[in-house]
Amino acid sequence: RKEVEQDPGPFNVPEGATVAFNCTYSNSASQSFFWYRQDCRKEPKLLMSVYSSGNEDGRFTAQLNRASQYISLLIRDSKLSDSATYLCVVNTNAGKSTFGDGTTLTVKP
Amino acid sequence: EAQVTQNPRYLITVTGKKLTVTCSQNMNHEYMSWYRQDPGLGLRQIYYSMNVEVTDKGDVPEGYKVSRKEKRNFPLILESPSPNQTSLYFCASSNTGELFFGEGSRLTVL
């Protein structure tokens, strides 16, 4: 079993749709959590950090459930420009970072 | 401009010919790390460094070496490359947990 598992996707949604991605992690020593976005084999870029209390940035909402070892990302009102691969990342305090395999989102007109 | 710079960006080489991929950051970050990305396998951590002269193995360190003699540089060394090291490599640095990535180095070993 992988340390970080994401929804396999791909997700194909129409513009304006709401889409949710899930990610589970197995290392209980995990301390920090992030969602990254990666476009077409370019470098990943931070989308948002994930906090225990949940956090929102415009159309994006991230949530963390430490008890269930589960992270989610919700995208509301999808835009064409949201088409990308979304990576869940889990870090330990010791510096180890583990990426999920990514979920590909395609937003269609 | 704050950035992580990797070189070379593209390289085709042959089995056994030693190569080094350089990584340099200008953000005074203490943490640096190397990843490889392969289709269907996502990004996997090769080595990381919490600070100068401190390096640790990630998930897939076999066949790679690193050094961290200066804060800004974290080269990845392939002493004897093999075809299974053909991959897309990313270097990243961080101070607060957010990783800043280089543009990637696409390596092909024939």
Side-chain angles (χ1 to χ4, degrees), chain A residues 37-43 83-85, chain B residues 37 88 90 106:
Chain A
R37 171 193 169 126
Q38 186 176 27
D39 293 284
C40 200
R41 303 294 269 181
K42 292 192 174 181
E43 74 273 23
S83 297
T85 297
Chain B
Q37 187 171 33
L88 176 59
F90 288 106
R106 187 170 293 280

Side-chain angles (χ1 to χ4, degrees), chain A residues 8-70:
Chain A
F11 285 62
N12 298 299
V13 304
E15 269 187 293
T18 295
V19 60
F21 302 140
N22 300 316
C23 177
T24 58
Y25 61 95
S26 60
N27 187 350
S28 57
S30 301
Q31 292 294 322
S32 54
F33 310 88
F34 306 89
W35 283 100
Y36 280 75
R37 171 193 169 126
Q38 186 176 27
D39 293 284
C40 200
R41 303 294 269 181
K42 292 192 174 181
E43 74 273 23
K45 293 188 178 177
L46 181 69
L47 179 66
M48 56 198 304
S49 303
V50 187
Y51 304 116
S52 296
S53 54
N55 47 301
E56 189 173 307
D57 182 3
R59 297 181 293 108
F60 300 85
T61 301
Q63 296 205 309
L64 166 65
N65 184 321
R66 284 188 185 270
S68 302
Q69 298 186 183
Y70 169 97

Side-chain angles (χ1 to χ4, degrees), chain A residues 2-3 32 34 36 38 41-46 49 85 87 89 91-102, chain B residues 31 33 35 37-43 45 48 50 58-59 88 90 96-104 106:
Chain A
K2 292 186 177 183
E3 272 194 52
S32 54
F34 306 89
Y36 280 75
Q38 186 176 27
R41 303 294 269 181
K42 292 192 174 181
E43 74 273 23
K45 293 188 178 177
L46 181 69
S49 303
T85 297
L87 303 165
V89 184
N91 291 350
T92 67
N93 268 356
K96 190 169 179 296
S97 62
T98 305
F99 284 70
D101 289 349
Chain B
Y31 179 90
S33 185
Y35 304 85
Q37 187 171 33
D38 302 289
L41 294 174
L43 274 125
Q45 192 173 35
Y48 61 96
M50 300 287 275
D59 292 318
L88 176 59
F90 288 106
T96 59
E98 176 187 354
L99 291 164
F100 292 84
F101 284 86
E103 292 182 297
R106 187 170 293 280

